[in-house]
């Protein structure tokens, strides 16, 4: 790992220790995937193997995740839950138990919720987590209902259009931390977006800072590490 990736991995491991959800929001190309793979390997160094991790990602990157894990962590057993031949309910649970990582997609989150809910996962990880920016969709709600000891989100764009995008990701990671959607809108979204209230913007930044790690390619420390 590059020095900044080692810091990112250590930060993920530190928050996981306390069961706190983390959003790794590094710029595209800085290696969010490898930092998370390092965390998976780190957890499995102990004698007691944790339950499997469920990784949800866009359909287009399922193969990429499989290749990256194979390349950097060939010891990890990976199961793909996708396509017409996929297992359901009890058969799925039995097979999943034999693996370290189960990879599935946003498209199946709502459709296969009953199957995915047959397990209590060690970690539930969302890649390209901006896919849950709309808190009202069935997909987002289904993912929120799944049981896991720990949750993480990987995204290069934690806020795409509105601050409510950020609320939805934080609500997935640490439910209730930023209050209800209406409360968040009143306290932060309206003052910041409509009235450009710097004080409210800073208050929000302070609140989310412990749980969001964002580094840009233009950061001087990152340039030095690269």
């Amino acid at each position: 790992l590059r020095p900044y990736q080692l810091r990112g991995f250590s930060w993920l491991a530190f928050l996981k220790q306390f069961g706190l959800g983390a959003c790794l929001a590094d710029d595209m190309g800085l290696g969010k995937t490898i930092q998370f793979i390092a965390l998976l390997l780190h957890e499995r160094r102990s004698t007691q193997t944790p339950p499997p991790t469920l990784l949800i990602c866009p359909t287009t990157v399922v193969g990429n995740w499989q290749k990256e894990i194979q390349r950097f962590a060939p010891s990890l057993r990976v199961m793909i839950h996708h396509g017409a031949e996929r297992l359901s309910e009890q058969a799925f649970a039995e097979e999943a138990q034999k693996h370290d990582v189960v990879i599935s997609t946003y498209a199946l989150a709502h459709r296969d919720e009953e199957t995915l809910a047959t397990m209590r996962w060690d970690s539930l990880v969302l890649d390209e987590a901006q896919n849950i920016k709309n808190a009202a969709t069935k997909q987002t709600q289904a993912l929120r209902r799944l049981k896991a000891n720990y949750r993480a989100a990987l995204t290069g764009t934690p806020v795409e259009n509105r601050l409510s995008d950020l609320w939805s990701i934080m609500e997935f990671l640490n439910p209730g931390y930023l209050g209800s959607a209406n409360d968040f809108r009143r306290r932060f979204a309206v003052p910041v977006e409509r009235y450009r209230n710097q004080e409210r913007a800073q208050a929000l930044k302070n609140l989310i800072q412990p749980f969001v790690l964002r580094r840009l390619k233009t950061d001087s420390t990152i340039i030095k590490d690269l």
Side-chain angles (χ1 to χ4, degrees):
L1 297 176
R2 297 182 185 278
Y4 74 88
Q5 290 172 335
L6 185 59
R7 290 194 296 275
F9 147 69
S10 304
W11 175 80
L12 287 168
F14 174 76
L15 285 184
K16 179 164 186 189
Q17 219 177 307
F18 301 102
L20 297 167
C23 177
L24 182 60
D26 284 348
D27 218 350
M28 211 175 108
L30 289 182
K32 293 184 286 293
T33 304
I34 189 74
Q35 290 172 73
F36 193 76
I37 291 172
L39 181 68
L40 290 171
L41 282 173
H42 170 70
E43 288 160 0
R44 280 153 184 77
R45 269 193 185 153
S46 61
T47 45
Q48 205 177 0
T49 308
T53 284
L54 176 61
L55 171 75
I56 301 287
C57 63
T59 310
T60 50
V61 296
V62 169
N64 187 54
W65 268 100
Q66 197 176 11
K67 270 196 305 221
E68 294 288 280
I69 293 173
Q70 226 163 17
R71 181 179 166 200
F72 293 110
S75 60
L76 294 179
R77 297 158 302 167
V78 180
M79 171 183 168
I80 305 293
H81 178 72
H82 184 62
E85 303 297 304
R86 67 188 187 277
L87 300 172
S88 63
E89 308 210 0
Q90 206 45 46
F92 167 83
E94 284 169 22
E95 190 58 29
Q97 295 282 12
K98 301 172 193 167
H99 294 80
D100 298 301
V101 187
V102 176
I103 302 176
S104 193
T105 63
Y106 286 104
L108 293 178
H110 173 58
R111 204 182 313 163
D112 282 15
E113 185 185 352
E114 274 183 36
T115 293
L116 298 174
T118 54
M119 300 275 298
R120 183 180 179 93
W121 304 95
D122 179 54
S123 299
L124 172 55
V125 189
L126 305 185
D127 183 31
E128 300 199 18
Q130 66 274 14
N131 279 279
I132 63 157
K133 67 182 180 183
N134 185 342
T137 64
K138 287 178 177 175
Q139 167 185 289
T140 301
Q141 290 173 356
L143 287 166
R144 256 200 232 131
R145 285 191 290 265
L146 293 177
K147 301 281 186 284
N149 300 330
Y150 168 73
R151 295 172 170 213
L154 314 176
T155 174
T157 50
V159 179
E160 280 193 319
N161 303 309
R162 296 172 315 198
L163 282 179
S164 59
D165 302 355
L166 180 66
W167 179 86
S168 187
I169 292 173
M170 286 300 291
E171 183 64 13
F172 165 78
L173 294 172
N174 299 301
Y177 180 67
L178 291 179
S180 69
N182 286 340
D183 190 36
F184 179 80
R185 198 170 171 278
R186 182 178 52 78
R187 288 171 63 209
F188 298 110
V190 171
V192 174
E193 291 173 346
R194 195 175 296 170
Y195 302 111
R196 299 277 178 254
N197 185 321
Q198 291 305 308
E199 199 182 304
R200 291 281 76 204
Q202 190 57 48
L204 177 59
K205 192 178 177 186
N206 294 344
L207 272 175
I208 65 162
Q209 207 157 19
F211 309 107
V212 180
L213 182 63
R214 177 153 176 80
R215 280 87 56 92
L216 305 173
K217 292 191 195 89
T218 49
D219 293 349
S220 57
T221 54
I222 302 300
I223 290 167
K224 197 175 75 201
D225 287 351
L226 290 170

